[in-house]
Amino acid sequence: MVKVAIIGATGQVGSYAAHAISQIPQIKEVTLFGRDGNQQYLEGLSRDLVDSFAARGTNTRISWSCDEKDLRGSDIIILTSGVARKADQSRLDLAVENGKIVASFAEKIGRTASEALLLIISNPVDIMTAVALKYSGLPPHRVFGLGTHLDSMRLKSCIAEFFNVHVSEVHTRIIGEHGDTMVPLWSATTIGGIQINNLPAFSHLPKDKIMERVKTSGSLIIRSKGSTVYGPGDAIATVVRTIVEDEHRILTVSAFIKKEVHDIGSVCIGVPARITRGGVFPVPIKLPDDELEAFRNSTETIRNVTRQVFEALEERE
Ligand SMILES: NC(=O)C1=CN([C@@H]2O[C@H](COP(=O)(O)OP(=O)(O)OC[C@H]3O[C@@H](n4cnc5c(N)ncnc54)[C@H](O)[C@@H]3O)[C@@H](O)[C@H]2O)C=CC1
Ligand SMILES: O=C([O-])CC(=O)C(=O)O
C-alpha cells in the first residue's frame, strides 16, 4: 500500500489533487503538508476530505502536518507549493521566486524522504523539476514534473471534438516546455489507430487555432475563475495511478534527458517517458525535422532560464 504526501496542500491544485488521488485504491494514506501557520486550514481541509470519503465509500486515511519529519516514509511526494501566475504573466515569470521555494522543499525531501518519487507541479514546471533534482540529490529517474501531460490532454480533447470521436480514440502528445514553445507531435497523433494525416479531414483541422487554444488554456482559465484546478488535479491523479499500479504507460512528463531525443540532453523538459513504480524513464525517440527543430528551440528556452535560476539560487547560498 502506498503513502503519498502533498506539499502545498492548502493551495487550489494541492487540495483538489488530494481529493483526486484518494480515489486510487492502492493509496493507503495521503498526508497534507502546509506551511507553519496553516494548521487550522489543514485541519479543516482534512475533515472536509474525510466527509467526502465517507460519502464515496473511500478508505484512504488523511493526515496533515507542517513538520518535515512527517515526510519520512512517503512513497510519492507531490510538490505544488509556489506562487501562481496572474493571467497576463508567463509561467517563466515565476521562475526565480518559485525556484527558492522548490529548492528549500527539495533539500528537506533529500534529508527526510530520499527513497520517494518526487512529482513537481509548481511552475515553471520544467525548470522547477531541474531545481528539485539538483537540490534534493535524488536520482533523475525519481524526480519528474507534470510537464506537458496536461497540454497533451488539452490537445487530445480539441482533436476529439473536431473529429467527433471519443477522447480515448485519440492518441497525441505535446513535448517540450509547459509554456509558449511547446511542440505538438502531429507525427505521433492517431485517431482510432490511424495516423492523423491519413484521414481526409486532417487537411481541414485548424491546427494553429487549436494550438493557440491549448497554449492559452491556462491563462484563460486563470482570467475567468482564478486558477486551473480540475485539469491539473486529475492529470496528477493519472500520473500517480500509473506509478502505483506500475502500469508502464508512456506519459509526457518533464524528465531529465541525456540523449533520448536525438543528441539533445542535460535538461529537464516534457518528453514521452515510461512511468513505473520504480520511477520515470524517457523513451528514446526520433522526430521529423520540423518537430525536432521546434523541440531544440524549446529546450534552449528552458536551458537558459534554468541557468539563470541556478545562478540566482547560488547567490542565495
Ligand atoms: N504544472 C502544471 O500543469 C500546473 C502548475 N500549477 C502551478 O502550481 C502552483 C500552485 O498553484 P495553485 O495551487 O493554483 O496556487 P495557490 O496559490 O492556490 O497555492 C499555492 C500553495 O503554495 C504555498 N506557498 C506559496 N508561497 C509559499 C512559500 N513562500 N513557501 C511555502 N509555500 C508557499 C501556499 O501555502 C499554497 O499551499 C503554481 O506555481 C502554479 O503555477 C498550477 C496548475 C497546473
Ligand atoms: O497556466 C497556469 O499557470 C497553470 C498551468 O500551468 C496550467 O493549467 O497549465
Side-chain angles (χ1 to χ4, degrees), residues 13 83-87 89-91 94 121-125 146-147 150-151 154 178-179 182 214-222 226-229 231-232:
V13 173
V83 189
R85 66 175 168 149
K86 313 259 183 307
Q89 280 184 305
S90 151
R91 298 180 184 95
L94 312 172
I121 312 300
S122 319
N123 271 322
V125 69
L146 192 60
L150 178 54
D151 306 297
R154 287 171 174 153
H178 175 51
M182 66 178 72
V214 171
K215 283 183 191 172
T216 56
S217 261
S219 56
L220 181 137
I221 296 168
I222 290 168
S227 52
T228 66
V229 176

Side-chain angles (χ1 to χ4, degrees), residues 14-32:
S15 55
Y16 179 66
H19 186 264
I21 65 168
S22 298
Q23 315 308 318
I24 301 169
Q26 292 89 336
I27 295 184
K28 184 182 69 175
E29 180 173 353
V30 175
T31 305
L32 310 169

